[in-house]
Amino acid sequence: MTVRCAGIILGIALLPVGCLGNDPCVEDPLQRVRAEVLNYAMDAVERVHDVMEPRADNSGDRFILLMARDIVDAFLHLLEAFYTQMCLLSGCAACALEVGLAAVGEGRASTMAEPYRQMDDRLVIFTELFDSAVVMAEEEEERRRSPSPLPGKRDTVANIRSDLATVRQEGLAYKLDRVFARAAAAAHSGQALGEGADRQLMEASMLGQNFVATLHAQLAEAFNLLPQLALEGRHLPGLQGGWGLGPYFKYLNHDSTARLELIALLRGERHAAWPFARNSALCSRPELHAPIADQPHHDASGTFSWNGAPAYDLLKIIERSGRPLSYTYWTVRTATQFGKEIPCEAAVGLLFDPARCLDEQGWGGSVYFVNPDPQPREKERLYVQWRPRAWKSERSLENPLWKAYLDPITPPSEPMDILSLSPLAGNCELLRTLVTADSMTMARLVYAPINPVLPPPIQAEPNFTKFWVDHRNWSRVLHKAGTLDGARLLESGQRYFLAQCSLESTYRMLKPIGYELLHVEYFFAVFAHESVAKLLHRHRPPYAKAVLGNLPASASKAPTPFEAWRRGWYCAPLSRYILDLEARASFDPVWLSPQGASGSPSFCRFLRNFAWLNETTLSATYKCEPAADDHHEGGLPTARHGDATDGIEAVVRERLRTVWAQDVAHPVAKIAPVMPYADRAQRWGDQRQSSCSLPGAHGCICLPPFRGPACSAKDEVDAGVDRPFTAAVAYVLDRGAACADGAYVPMLALALQSLWSNFNARHDYPVLVFYTDMDQATRDSVVLASPNRVWFYRVANDERAGASSNAILRFKSSLLFQHPAVAALDFLWLLDPGIRFQSEVAEDPFLALHGSPSASLAYRAAVPVVEGVSRQTKIWELMKLFLMSRGVHWKGAVREVRERRGGSHFFDGILAAENLGSRWNNQVLAMDSELFRVAAMSGKDSHYAEYVSFLETHLGPSAWLAYTSSAVHTLGMLAASLLGHASGKALDVVELATMPYALHDCRAE
């Protein structure tokens, strides 16, 4: 009886002894399934490009594009669901461990039935739409100069409809789900499935492949009809459509259609609807970004991509900016590639080289042929060939070749536009030699091969020389034995990419010498020299500027390595299958941890299998334990760091929060043109999900607890308390403040750690951080400093208030309470970033304020004005004038309140004792820890908001810098309290005993 090595499904059980040498991830039938899925996926993406019309400038044209995207998106989702379920059934941990984790964010379930239902519904509506177009074409036949081709396609549409009905009747998707469910149940029980597993695997494989093939045929037939349908819609000018309105609106109102993407597409933002994405919690489908190129392009994988731009387009952007090009490249290839010229369109994957495409465009340059052998037969390990530039499409036939030294290497003598390194020639170790050879010959662009399986911040630098020697010996043995077949050639390519450095290592190597990361194309990272990097980051095609407007400064900055990796590799629709890299590397989702993977058993196993490093390096650099007895080449791990699904889910959620933090900071790079719709209609029950009405801001923001580019992911942890109110903790960062000078970020990190350990670990209130300038890396560090759920909101430059520090004072004293994220709350606890709690907060101060309906503010203590005492006198006089303008004499109001209430009042702390407090004693409410009832601080019925408006009318917004926000705030609360009592609405300011004493510590220890 054959015993299948299954059991490491979702970390439930370990592999049986004796299975260590067999890796189902890279063996049949899963390898065959992966190859077929990849072919279908590539074909589907190609078909989208074939029907894509760059001049789709009206709603009918864009509707055709939307249908094409929707149908292919459902098909890609179905393919991915089939593959991941086959992983589960085969026992491949590298792709099965993510099953079920997509729901952490905005991902979709990994079942066959749901994507099949979506695709079936969309194709059915498409056939109805086509039928309506046929009817309309026949009705106007007499008025046409030539007959419409649509009636002749009735049989094709009927075949699509018939095939759909047959598949629906046979219920193949549900049969497959039942097979997968039985396998998952057996895996959870820890059974060695035996022959039953083989039978189930073959049954699922055959069913699935027939099912997918049928749906692909229907997709192909539908796409053959799309161009004719589009032409029918264009044969009349204006808004005259070529199809009936019934199916049109039925499609638009379909529950599976992404509404936000639809509106974006109809408004002209084609990139809003085109990018396809891997089904993962980290890859939200409606996530938009500012494109560089106007059209998709063939990337390093050979497939069409909407991420980044080809080298030619990037260089032309540079040239159009007034920076002249040299029309010269420097490409480094392996010696075995000498004399083997391949066309640009074939230079993909392991052979990818943008210099080949530039060469066809007339560029010339230096081609370095490197022999990686450390002990070659010939002394020289480097040959240099010069390729002359073209002249009027004519090129010299002379291509001089000469010997050169590899150590030290001599760079080309001419300036170059681009440097490209082949993964066959070396990794970042050789790249380091190339880019530091001569500081006078810096390339504008650098294309560096990377190992895409390792996400940032993982650092890895394999020993390429040792790999190359071992790989050569391995190839010779296979060649001699006659077993160097297609599967082994595929494995050879895999090993070359897995012997590359990680993106993080390459990034850290190039950044100090002036290169910024631009984007990732599957297995290549594209860097731009700092002299042109900002130009490329902020570039946008003309149509994008027309639709979205100009980019804010924050959106033109370089992406973090993880963000570039996420967009260019992990979230790419083919990353699961292409070259079988994830399967061969035994990718572990735990590697997604923002802390990296040093010391992780699965990462150390990867390094031992593919990095060719000695044990000393593994221990010292990568914190790996000594190799265990179960070490094996390329097989499944027998134990994993974070095996349990909930452990992986925690890692994914932690990483998601860093992604979400970046999304909020770049609103225009996601859904600015469509979120006004969401602002009105996107609600979760009674909760508002987003706002697009923030003055001075670009685009839209998500309101707690919602996250993501469409504000549709709910990041909420049940703290076990059913609260009758909404509340949050907030920090306002002022880089100009004395305490925050040069240390406000680490200071905030310590504050968040203190908040979590002493209070929020039990309550889990959302934390709002308002800032004026904070890059992505800084936001990452703040998010990862503690388990708090953090939302970031940029304080826009206030043109009325003038200087940035002036704007912060105005924001903290008034505009904070009008911010949509705060206005949606009942209570806000405003803390200074320097706060450190000295002990555990025993009681929830929000509950205390909620229990006192008349209390509008709870404060910790009254303290003297620190600076500019004489300047604050004018604020005091204006406060009295404000009360008089409202018909209230302040002395009489104070006396009346004291007589009515009796006992002490917060007046006692800020008014001099003599003569019933005839003057202000220069005491203010300490603003390092205050709790607000938000409704009392803003809105049409807020006396405090009235006071602030009165103050600005008399002083002007630009005068805020002359007064401390604590003085403005304290006297404003005094005025609001007196007005409230005078109008019969008690408005109290209280000092809560439960408000913990907080230490204002500016040291970031």
Side-chain angles (χ1 to χ4, degrees):
M1 180 177 68
T2 302
V3 179
R4 177 162 301 280
C5 299
I8 188 168
I9 307 297
L10 297 179
I12 302 301
L14 298 180
L15 283 171
V17 177
C19 294
L20 301 179
N22 300 322
D23 185 355
C25 297
V26 292
E27 295 177 355
D28 279 340
L30 189 57
Q31 186 180 46
R32 185 171 62 253
V33 167
R34 186 164 48 242
E36 291 186 1
V37 166
L38 177 62
N39 288 335
Y40 282 132
M42 293 179 68
D43 179 77
V45 173
E46 290 280 347
R47 289 181 183 276
V48 170
H49 179 266
D50 289 343
V51 301
M52 185 173 181
E53 170 55 60
R55 293 173 295 277
D57 55 358
N58 62 58
S59 59
D61 292 346
R62 294 168 188 160
F63 175 72
I64 294 294
L65 299 184
L66 176 68
M67 279 199 302
R69 198 304 306 267
D70 269 357
I71 293 171
V72 169
D73 182 67
F75 182 64
L76 292 177
H77 181 201
L78 185 140
L79 289 175
E80 189 170 8
F82 173 52
Y83 171 66
T84 53
Q85 293 289 357
M86 284 297 295
C87 288
L88 192 69
L89 190 57
S90 302
C92 174
C95 54
L97 279 169
E98 282 190 274
V99 176
L101 292 178
V104 173
E106 296 174 285
R108 296 165 285 187
S110 298
T111 61
M112 300 287 291
E114 178 59 24
Y116 161 69
R117 184 189 65 80
Q118 293 177 1
M119 186 174 180
D120 178 73
D121 288 351
R122 290 164 182 174
L123 285 173
V124 167
I125 299 177
F126 167 76
T127 60
E128 295 175 359
L129 188 81
F130 199 92
D131 286 342
S132 71
V134 171
V135 172
M136 292 183 67
E138 290 177 335
E139 289 177 349
E140 62 177 23
E141 184 175 358
E142 296 181 355
R143 298 191 299 272
R144 301 175 69 114
R145 298 182 60 184
S146 59
S148 169
L150 296 189
K153 301 298 181 180
R154 268 203 175 100
D155 291 342
T156 303
V157 176
N159 289 336
I160 295 175
R161 190 180 291 108
S162 175
D163 290 344
L164 289 173
T166 301
V167 173
R168 198 180 308 121
Q169 184 177 4
E170 293 178 352
L172 290 179
Y174 302 96
K175 288 181 182 178
L176 281 165
D177 280 341
R178 286 194 293 271
V179 171
F180 294 138
R182 288 197 299 270
H188 276 274
S189 66
Q191 298 175 9
L193 303 179
E195 293 180 354
D198 287 328
R199 198 164 48 248
Q200 289 181 355
L201 190 60
M202 291 304 298
E203 178 188 0
S205 179
M206 293 179 63
L207 273 176
Q209 291 179 63
N210 291 335
F211 178 53
V212 167
T214 301
L215 292 179
H216 177 262
Q218 296 169 2
L219 180 147
E221 289 185 338
F223 268 67
N224 290 336
L225 298 174
L226 274 174
Q228 298 179 36
L229 186 62
L231 289 175
E232 192 68 17
R234 279 187 165 189
H235 83 282
L236 290 175
L239 298 177
Q240 298 290 332
W243 45 75
L245 295 179
Y248 178 79
F249 285 111
K250 182 179 180 181
Y251 194 95
L252 296 186
N253 291 324
H254 194 249
D255 59 356
S256 61
T257 299
R259 298 292 184 84
L260 296 181
E261 297 177 12
L262 165 65
I263 294 179
L265 186 62
L266 296 183
R267 291 184 57 166
E269 171 51 272
R270 293 190 293 276
H271 289 256
W274 287 123
F276 304 108
R278 173 180 181 143
N279 184 24
S280 167
L282 294 175
C283 306
S284 177
R285 184 182 65 174
E287 182 172 16
L288 312 185
H289 56 281
I292 294 178
D294 195 11
Q295 293 294 314
H297 63 99
H298 275 110
D299 62 11
S301 69
T303 58
F304 281 100
S305 172
W306 286 260
N307 181 51
Y312 178 84
D313 288 358
L314 295 174
L315 292 173
K316 283 300 179 180
I317 291 171
I318 295 172
E319 186 177 47
R320 286 194 295 269
S321 71
R323 300 167 175 85
L325 299 178
S326 65
Y327 287 88
T328 304
Y329 56 73
W330 181 17
T331 181
V332 181
R333 304 168 185 165
T334 184
T336 56
Q337 293 179 280
F338 177 71
K340 299 177 181 177
E341 296 300 323
I342 58 175
C344 168
E345 62 181 16
V348 297
L350 201 62
L351 301 178
F352 176 71
D353 186 350
R356 295 188 186 275
C357 300
L358 293 176
D359 192 85
E360 293 181 2
Q361 297 287 340
W363 263 257
S366 300
V367 185
Y368 281 37
F369 295 99
V370 175
N371 182 1
D373 191 347
Q375 296 178 335
R377 294 179 181 177
E378 298 182 8
K379 181 179 179 182
E380 290 77 11
R381 296 177 56 198
L382 173 63
Y383 284 81
V384 178
Q385 185 180 49
W386 172 251
R387 290 274 297 168
R389 289 184 289 272
W391 179 273
K392 293 289 186 179
S393 302
E394 297 290 334
R395 194 188 299 269
S396 171
L397 298 179
E398 294 295 326
N399 298 305
L401 179 74
W402 61 89
K403 297 178 181 179
Y405 291 105
L406 186 60
D407 187 18
I409 194 170
T410 302
S413 57
E414 292 193 13
M416 70 204 76
D417 296 322
I418 184 172
L419 165 61
S420 175
L421 173 63
S422 168
L424 296 170
N427 62 10
C428 67
E429 182 180 3
L430 176 58
L431 183 64
R432 182 183 293 109
T433 302
L434 299 175
V435 296
T436 58
D438 188 343
S439 60
M440 299 303 292
T441 54
M442 302 294 285
R444 258 76 176 271
L445 302 176
V446 173
Y447 279 71
I450 59 170
N451 176 359
V453 177
L454 300 178
I458 293 178
Q459 297 185 62
E461 294 190 26
N463 186 329
F464 188 86
T465 300
K466 190 174 187 305
F467 151 75
W468 190 91
V469 172
D470 289 351
H471 184 268
R472 179 192 59 185
N473 297 338
W474 174 78
S475 301
R476 286 175 176 175
V477 170
L478 293 178
H479 189 271
K480 186 175 181 180
T483 57
L484 192 59
D485 54 10
R488 292 303 185 184
L489 289 174
L490 173 62
E491 182 178 351
S492 174
Q494 295 165 353
R495 292 179 180 275
Y496 268 103
F497 277 121
L498 296 179
Q500 297 301 313
C501 301
S502 66
L503 174 61
E504 183 74 18
S505 294
T506 307
Y507 169 81
R508 295 194 179 206
M509 182 194 74
L510 290 176
K511 187 170 180 58
I513 56 177
Y515 284 96
E516 292 187 12
L517 181 58
L518 198 59
H519 64 268
V520 169
E521 290 186 20
Y522 281 93
F523 5 79
F524 280 81
V526 183
F527 293 84
H529 191 262
E530 57 189 5
S531 60
V532 296
K534 290 184 179 179
L535 166 71
L536 297 174
H537 285 310
R538 68 172 179 262
H539 175 79
R540 314 175 78 200
Y543 90 88
K545 288 183 179 179
V547 174
L548 296 178
N550 293 321
L551 276 170
S554 58
S556 63
K557 295 181 180 179
T560 63
F562 181 82
E563 185 65 13
W565 175 85
R566 185 175 72 97
R567 293 187 183 278
W569 165 259
Y570 185 74
C571 291
L574 308 182
S575 60
R576 287 191 190 274
Y577 332 110
I578 198 160
L579 289 180
D580 296 358
L581 284 178
E582 284 195 358
R584 177 64 65 182
S586 293
F587 174 75
D588 189 343
V590 171
W591 298 353
L592 294 168
S593 171
Q595 283 76 33
S598 292
S600 161
S602 59
F603 178 54
C604 293
R605 186 176 294 106
F606 167 84
L607 293 174
R608 289 191 174 97
N609 286 342
F610 301 108
W612 288 266
L613 301 172
N614 58 45
E615 287 295 325
T616 302
T617 303
L618 290 173
S619 175
T621 305
Y622 300 100
K623 302 178 182 178
C624 293
E625 298 292 333
D629 294 337
D630 67 351
H631 167 63
H632 57 286
E633 180 74 13
L636 275 173
T638 57
R640 301 174 69 92
H641 175 61
D643 264 338
T645 308
D646 55 355
I648 298 174
E649 182 175 340
V651 167
V652 173
R653 185 173 293 279
E654 184 180 33
R655 176 56 85 176
L656 255 179
R657 285 176 176 166
T658 66
V659 173
W660 285 333
Q662 295 172 8
D663 282 340
V664 172
H666 294 274
V668 81
K670 32 173 207 155
I671 48 175
V674 298
M675 287 295 280
Y677 169 86
D679 196 25
R680 295 191 301 270
Q682 287 250 127
R683 303 182 71 89
W684 188 298
D686 294 332
Q687 292 178 283
R688 192 178 177 194
Q689 293 178 237
S690 61
S691 173
C692 299
S693 57
L694 190 63
H698 292 269
C700 311
I701 60 172
C702 299
L703 307 180
F706 298 98
R707 303 274 206 176
C711 302
S712 55
K714 197 172 186 181
D715 182 17
E716 190 170 50
V717 179
D718 184 7
V721 179
D722 185 16
R723 301 189 187 105
F725 57 84
T726 57
V729 179
Y731 295 89
V732 178
L733 304 184
D734 181 5
R735 298 192 68 170
C739 183
D741 188 18
Y744 79 107
V745 173
M747 182 178 63
L748 177 62
L750 291 177
L752 289 172
Q753 293 167 11
S754 174
L755 174 70
W756 180 261
S757 59
N758 290 294
F759 174 74
N760 220 19
R762 300 188 310 280
H763 304 285
D764 197 29
Y765 288 105
V767 175
L768 317 181
V769 175
F770 298 90
Y771 67 94
T772 55
D773 184 22
M774 188 183 293
D775 58 25
Q776 292 182 7
T778 302
R779 289 193 297 274
D780 282 355
S781 65
V782 171
V783 168
L784 299 175
S786 71
N788 289 294
R789 295 176 294 131
V790 182
W791 276 257
F792 292 91
Y793 300 106
R794 187 172 65 89
V795 179
N797 290 331
D798 190 343
E799 295 180 359
R800 295 179 61 202
S804 60
S805 55
N806 203 354
I808 284 291
L809 289 175
R810 183 169 184 259
F811 177 80
K812 194 172 182 179
S813 297
S814 66
L815 297 182
L816 169 65
F817 306 105
Q818 301 172 29
H819 193 282
V822 175
L825 301 172
D826 294 317
F827 303 106
L828 182 74
W829 190 0
L830 183 61
L831 293 175
D832 190 280
I835 287 295
R836 307 289 184 276
F837 293 104
Q838 292 181 317
S839 61
E840 184 176 295
V841 182
E843 298 182 33
D844 186 347
F846 288 115
L847 286 174
L849 194 61
H850 176 69
S852 180
S854 64
S856 59
L857 180 146
Y859 67 102
R860 180 179 62 83
V863 297
V865 175
V866 177
E867 57 180 306
V869 175
S870 60
R871 287 183 300 179
Q872 314 308 322
T873 305
K874 190 171 183 178
I875 297 289
W876 165 250
E877 297 299 329
L878 283 173
M879 188 276 297
K880 294 190 290 184
L881 183 61
F882 167 71
L883 290 175
M884 291 177 62
S885 70
R886 300 303 188 269
V888 175
H889 187 276
W890 78 274
K891 282 188 178 182
V894 169
R895 184 185 303 108
E896 182 180 346
V897 170
R898 282 174 169 161
E899 291 175 352
R900 184 187 306 171
R901 290 178 54 90
S904 61
H905 194 273
F906 97 103
F907 303 158
D908 301 330
I910 63 172
L911 296 179
E914 66 271 17
N915 195 20
L916 293 177
S918 60
R919 63 180 178 84
W920 175 37
N921 64 3
N922 295 322
Q923 294 282 315
V924 294
L925 303 180
M927 294 187 69
D928 52 8
S929 178
E930 289 184 300
L931 203 66
F932 298 95
R933 187 182 298 273
V934 175
M937 307 302 293
S938 63
K940 62 179 182 179
D941 297 327
S942 170
H943 296 308
Y944 180 84
E946 281 187 74
Y947 161 77
V948 171
S949 177
F950 179 88
L951 204 64
E952 289 192 348
T953 301
H954 287 75
L955 294 177
S958 61
W960 280 79
L961 192 58
Y963 307 97
T964 63
S965 55
S966 57
V968 174
H969 170 64
T970 299
L971 297 180
M973 292 309 302
L974 172 60
S977 179
L978 294 176
L979 275 179
H981 283 283
S983 62
K985 297 179 181 179
L987 198 64
D988 295 333
V989 178
V990 298
E991 183 175 1
L992 287 179
T994 56
M995 182 74 75
Y997 180 81
L999 174 66
H1000 196 271
D1001 184 5
C1002 294
R1003 296 170 300 172
E1005 298 176 353

